[in-house]
Amino acid sequence: MLSLRPLLPVLLAVALAGPAEASAAAQADGIETARTGRQIAPGIRLESYDRLEADRWLRIDELLVDLGGRGGVRAEYLGGHGPATVAEAAARHPTGPGRRVVAAVNGDFFDIRGTGAPLGPGLGGGRLLHSATSGPGAAPAVGFGADGIGRVLRIALDGSVTLPGGAVRPLAGYNAARPPAVGLAAYTADWPGAELPAVGTAVAVRDGRVTTAAPPVRSPARRERPAPGTTVLTAAAGGAAAAELAALRPGDAVAVAARALPDAGPVPVAAVGGREALVVAGVPQNHDGEPNNTAAPRTAVGFSRDGRRLRILTVDGRQRDSGGLTLTALGRLMHRLGAYEALNLDGGGSSTLLAGLSGATALALENSPSDGRLRPVSNGLVLTAPAGSGRTAGYRVEPVGGTTEDLTRVFPRLTRTLTATGYDALLGPAPGAPVWSADGAGTVDSAGVFHAVRPGRATAHARRTTAHGAVPQGELPLEVLGPLTRIRPTHARIGLAEQGESAGFRLTGYDAQGAASVVEPRDVALEFDRSRWRVTDDGHGGFTVTALVPQATGRLRAAVRAGGAAGAPGAAGAPGAGSGLTTELALGVGLVTFPVTDLADVADWTGPGASAAEGHPGAGLALELTGAAAQGSAAPPRPLPVPELARSLTLWVGGDGSGARPAVELADADGAAVTVRGPAVDWTGWRELTLPLPATAEPPLSVIRLSAVGGTGPGRLALDTLGARTPPTGPAAAPVVRDPIVATEAGVRARPWRFAVEPAGGSRAGTGDGGADFVLTGADRPEFVHRGVRFLPLDTTRPTLGGGGLDRMRALRKALAAAARDPATGALAVVRADAPDTVDRKETALTAHLLAEFRRTTGKRAAVLTLGAPAFAAGRSEGVLSVAAPRTGRTLVGVDAFARRDWLAVRQTP
């Protein structure tokens, strides 16, 4: 998933700022590339932003909370009844009268493969809920006092058990995830796990008396959560504590006491355990060399020096868009953001941040969990705030489907469906239908559907007159683009594995300048085989395709209705009614195996331990697994493409019973490694394996290596016939669009001046060569200005996440700022060599965004010139022109930096 958060107007100032205008810390560690923010409740604000570091992209979500202030915000313990997702726990959190949940985050590390209980201490409502699993000693936590003020502290267990006769024994654990090896542990109805851990000896105590004596010890057993008012005392079998428990009889007097013992200050009202200290007394901590100091998704909590400013932060990781942070880097980040004390909470797939939207009754997921879904966790922190009056103070107006830029745009004669959510003075829910109106380039009907009339700006308003005579309102700025010139689907092909499976797509339209907007289902007529497919409006601005049969291929034709006639997809009227533009999608359902390689060229495969062998049938590949590493691999003579819609790979494996594990190693669209592994080979003879491809893998994929790792000893695996299980959709439609900047040679020469692009070693005849002012043969020259155009050559030899992207973005920001300030500069042209394996897609998208923002805010022109491309191409996106000059031949470019219309004309010759 490529993600570029919406670029707000303030971001353009950041993008155009020169090095002197940016903070030294940001320059040293990376650059911010996008930011959004919103108020969650009085005293709570969410800030979400992207960063480009030298070696990774980062996505960060941050809650800024005023504690102990007039906003009445409180941080409370979340969870406590077995693992649940943060969303599930927040939905059932008891807020008490007059309060509501406004945000939540995951909490402590937990016994993920055992009881599911948290490993650190926890307090809720001023009571100790559980102690740390490591014993009665102090363990790190974040705590909040009765005044709401927070701090990082250490919490120990102060507990005892008084036995018949008055003997007092220390309590070694209280609702701890893992029972202590020595001493007594107590479990109550506050136990936060799914079930009690296996214990050797146990007795139940209620109202100070033993109710159930210890049964004979045969084997450790798991027990259900104790009933309220009952305490279960446990001890590991074989020790002195177990013998004392075994001697107890029903009716014996036993007293259990347990309380939290903080290292300093009062006992918190609420506390959640954590692990590593990130910032201590204003000093970021160095965790180099420690086992958890690896780049990963992270959750952290920090406080200002006075504890009144809480900062809750999640960093996405293990994803293309966000590589995560080490503990050391996380500490530096928290310190740079202002934390005087900070603690690391559970990260990885547990990292989850939820926050409210004004007027909404449910929380929204803000970060992107690395598992691709919400993971059940042991506990967390929940923020609550006073509930409002429920009287409408305003409306949150949004397009149906989201708040992305392409949904706040619309084409003339088409529509955009809007929603208005009422909120009160505290941003809580305030139900009530609004009265709609609009000004500018369109109108809005009583159902909240905006109808675009002409290109320009518009504003949709939602109002409601209250009983007090006030007129609360909300508004949404909209842009009506130029006339629609073409449409295309977000997916050219949709492949479904089986009958009943569904997938979605949207239709994106473009005006003459390449500005994009989603075309809603109400403005589209569809033609498809209704006996094989069902296509419905998904309610979010797109369509859902469902397979009605187990095996089929087909095509779906979409046509924009002239005038945007309302109706369900494919409803009344002939498909393509009116004079709408059309596009097509290829459809398929059912899986077939497409060949990737039959290893007929096995002689050309190379790698350690690899050799030709008899296959299944024909030629095959053998991997000898010898030595301490017991591994072998073989690479094909060139990467092998995998069908784009493949769900899994198939591979024939000739087993030897050694326990070795075969694997297929792939590269994704940006060259990132993706490895799918087979099971341990405990069989002999040939067997076909099916290896599912991870859903997070970004196509197109290509096979770069077959490998195997040994099991219990040396082995020899034979491999043959690699295939891909793929829905058979047939070819996708490939419309040819010729951009107006592609001109005749006469058209190019009609421009005030020209330059040429040629392969290195080509003609350098200069101004006398066809009238070109100069010849570009590469992107290795310094930045220069020529006749109103600032040329910015960018070095693409270093990869995006090898420092190259950070250097290029800094150079681009500096050049944009210079071009914006200089009245003699009418255009900026970025020049770079074709390097798809070096410049990743997110850097390419960010470059395009910055150039488009530059064009929109300054009125000046922008272009990207790619040298040494596989083929000639020219086009535009958001008004930014692009020219790909091929490795062969000559590309002549005519220029008029101050032209009223297109400022480039391009001609490619052999």
Side-chain angles (χ1 to χ4, degrees):
M1 178 180 65
L2 281 174
S3 171
L4 282 171
R5 301 181 192 269
L7 295 180
L8 302 180
V10 68
L11 290 181
L12 183 62
V14 173
L16 301 185
E21 297 167 272
S23 70
Q27 287 294 314
D29 295 338
I31 58 174
E32 188 175 303
T33 61
R35 179 181 287 265
T36 60
R38 71 173 187 268
Q39 199 71 23
I40 303 302
I44 308 178
R45 183 168 179 80
L46 173 71
E47 294 287 333
S48 301
Y49 47 98
D50 294 357
R51 287 180 61 84
L52 172 59
E53 309 282 337
D55 60 347
R56 72 197 68 204
W57 294 95
L58 290 176
R59 282 202 310 259
I60 300 170
D61 294 282
E62 181 183 6
L63 281 172
L64 306 174
V65 186
D66 291 326
L67 298 172
R70 286 183 292 181
V73 179
R74 290 204 301 249
E76 302 172 9
Y77 184 96
L78 176 66
H81 296 285
T85 67
V86 176
E88 292 167 341
R92 63 180 181 232
H93 179 72
T95 60
R99 299 191 68 80
R100 63 190 180 96
V101 170
V102 293
V105 70
N106 69 288
D108 200 359
F109 292 80
F110 61 100
D111 186 16
I112 192 170
R113 294 180 178 83
T115 62
L119 300 179
L123 286 87
R127 296 187 302 108
L128 176 66
L129 301 177
H130 52 86
S131 67
T133 196
S134 55
V142 291
F144 303 87
D147 57 0
I149 306 304
R151 71 190 197 268
V152 175
L153 72 163
R154 297 183 70 84
I155 299 176
L157 169 64
D158 181 15
S160 63
V161 178
T162 303
L163 299 172
V168 179
R169 300 288 182 258
L171 197 60
Y174 185 78
N175 285 328
R178 298 166 186 161
V182 177
L184 296 170
Y187 293 91
T188 73
D190 288 329
W191 162 246
E195 56 182 9
L196 295 188
V199 294
T201 303
V203 301
V205 176
R206 188 178 181 87
D207 297 329
R209 298 287 177 177
V210 175
T211 60
T212 305
V217 177
R218 294 184 176 89
S219 62
R222 293 188 182 272
R223 292 173 170 81
E224 295 181 355
R225 180 191 315 277
T230 296
T231 298
V232 174
L233 287 174
T234 70
E244 289 185 310
L245 290 184
L248 295 175
R249 295 293 179 264
D252 285 350
V254 174
V256 181
R259 68 184 185 95
L261 185 64
D263 57 354
V267 176
V269 172
V272 167
R275 186 178 290 175
E276 296 89 355
L278 300 173
V279 183
V280 177
V283 178
Q285 302 298 291
N286 187 344
H287 292 275
D288 290 351
E290 298 179 11
N292 194 28
N293 194 36
T294 58
R298 298 290 182 184
T299 301
V301 174
F303 300 97
S304 59
R305 188 165 189 166
D306 62 4
R308 293 182 176 276
R309 185 75 163 169
L310 165 66
R311 191 178 302 272
I312 299 174
L313 181 142
T314 58
V315 182
D316 291 342
R318 300 172 186 161
Q319 301 172 52
R320 172 192 309 279
D321 285 357
S322 192
L325 285 178
T326 64
L327 290 175
T328 301
L330 182 63
R332 288 199 301 264
L333 174 62
M334 292 296 287
H335 176 258
R336 186 168 69 241
L337 294 173
Y340 185 75
E341 302 280 349
L343 185 68
N344 180 49
L345 302 186
D346 191 14
S350 299
S351 285
T352 307
L353 181 65
L354 305 176
L357 294 160
S358 54
T361 56
L363 303 183
L365 176 65
E366 300 299 334
N367 74 317
S368 179
S370 62
D371 288 354
R373 63 187 185 279
L374 295 186
R375 173 188 289 181
V377 296
S378 65
N379 64 8
L381 282 173
V382 63
L383 300 179
T384 67
S389 65
R391 292 194 298 268
T392 306
Y395 285 97
R396 172 168 49 87
V397 182
E398 296 177 324
V400 167
T403 56
T404 55
E405 185 178 49
D406 57 356
L407 284 167
T408 59
R409 296 167 159 185
V410 62
F411 295 101
R413 304 181 67 194
L414 300 187
T415 62
R416 180 68 66 232
T417 305
L418 308 178
T419 63
T421 304
Y423 57 84
D424 62 25
L426 298 184
L427 304 183
V435 175
W436 289 96
S437 63
D439 52 45
T443 63
V444 62
D445 62 26
S446 60
V449 178
F450 176 79
H451 299 261
V453 176
R454 61 185 181 279
R457 299 286 177 175
T459 303
H461 303 274
R463 295 181 173 90
R464 179 167 179 253
T465 303
T466 70
H468 303 283
V471 186
Q473 68 175 30
E475 60 184 35
L476 178 70
L478 297 164
E479 180 184 6
V480 181
L481 301 175
L484 181 65
T485 60
R486 61 187 175 96
I487 59 170
R488 69 173 180 83
T490 50
H491 307 291
R493 297 187 297 160
I494 290 181
L496 305 171
E498 59 188 4
Q499 181 180 355
E501 185 175 310
S502 299
F505 72 94
R506 281 180 172 178
L507 290 176
T508 303
Y510 300 87
D511 68 8
Q513 288 299 319
S517 174
V518 172
V519 178
E520 287 197 5
R522 71 171 61 247
D523 295 330
V524 176
L526 302 179
E527 180 182 6
F528 57 92
D529 186 342
R530 286 168 173 75
S531 68
R532 296 182 172 189
W533 321 98
R534 181 171 63 249
V535 185
T536 57
D537 182 340
D538 66 7
H540 300 286
F543 302 86
T544 299
V545 179
T546 303
L548 302 180
V549 294
Q551 295 280 340
T553 60
R555 305 193 76 79
L556 181 151
R557 182 174 181 266
V560 176
R561 300 173 187 269
S579 57
L581 299 165
T582 65
T583 189
E584 287 190 352
L585 294 79
L587 305 177
V589 58
L591 296 177
V592 297
T593 301
F594 283 81
V596 175
T597 177
D598 61 2
L599 289 170
D601 59 349
V602 66
D604 298 323
W605 288 57
T606 57
S611 62
E614 183 177 349
H616 181 79
L621 172 69
L623 295 178
E624 299 285 347
L625 311 176
T626 59
Q631 61 185 19
S633 65
R638 66 192 61 81
L640 305 171
V642 175
E644 186 174 355
L645 300 179
R647 300 293 186 91
S648 61
L649 300 177
T650 60
L651 179 67
W652 280 93
V653 177
D656 61 353
S658 67
R661 294 188 64 189
V664 181
E665 300 178 35
L666 308 104
D668 71 5
D670 287 329
V674 178
T675 301
V676 291
R677 302 185 187 281
V681 178
D682 56 2
W683 67 87
T684 58
W686 287 97
R687 182 179 296 181
E688 187 179 34
L689 302 181
T690 298
L691 310 175
L693 290 167
T696 54
E698 288 283 349
L701 302 173
S702 57
V703 176
I704 58 174
R705 193 174 293 106
L706 299 179
S707 62
V709 177
T712 57
R716 181 181 186 274
L717 293 187
L719 308 177
D720 194 12
T721 313
L722 179 66
R725 296 283 289 166
T726 307
T729 64
V736 177
V737 179
R738 180 184 175 92
D739 195 274
I741 65 171
V742 179
T744 64
E745 187 161 346
V748 172
R749 294 184 184 278
R751 297 299 174 115
W753 65 276
R754 290 154 297 286
F755 69 90
V757 180
E758 292 185 353
S763 171
R764 291 176 176 266
T767 58
D769 184 9
D773 286 20
F774 57 85
V775 177
L776 285 177
T777 60
D780 53 354
R781 63 188 296 177
E783 181 179 346
F784 65 98
V785 179
H786 186 82
R787 299 181 69 172
V789 182
R790 181 175 295 271
F791 287 85
L792 176 64
L794 292 178
D795 177 11
T796 56
T797 59
R798 295 172 63 203
T800 298
L801 301 185
L806 188 57
D807 288 346
R808 288 187 287 270
M809 286 302 102
R810 285 176 174 161
L812 177 57
R813 285 160 38 122
K814 183 178 178 181
L816 287 169
R821 289 191 297 261
D822 182 9
T825 298
L828 173 73
V830 172
V831 183
R832 63 187 185 189
D834 182 61
D837 296 331
T838 303
V839 179
D840 71 21
R841 289 185 290 171
K842 192 166 182 181
E843 180 187 341
T844 300
L846 177 58
T847 300
H849 268 291
L850 293 178
L851 290 173
E853 288 292 319
F854 166 80
R855 176 183 177 273
R856 279 196 287 263
T857 57
T858 67
K860 299 187 178 186
R861 313 308 174 84
V864 176
L865 308 176
T866 302
L867 311 184
F872 172 79
R876 68 190 70 206
S877 175
E878 304 294 334
V880 177
L881 304 180
S882 62
V883 177
R887 302 180 185 123
T888 59
R890 187 173 194 265
T891 302
L892 188 64
V893 183
V895 185
D896 183 352
F898 300 96
R900 295 186 62 183
R901 297 182 66 84
D902 286 339
W903 64 285
L904 294 182
V906 186
R907 177 70 173 173
Q908 203 274 329
T909 59

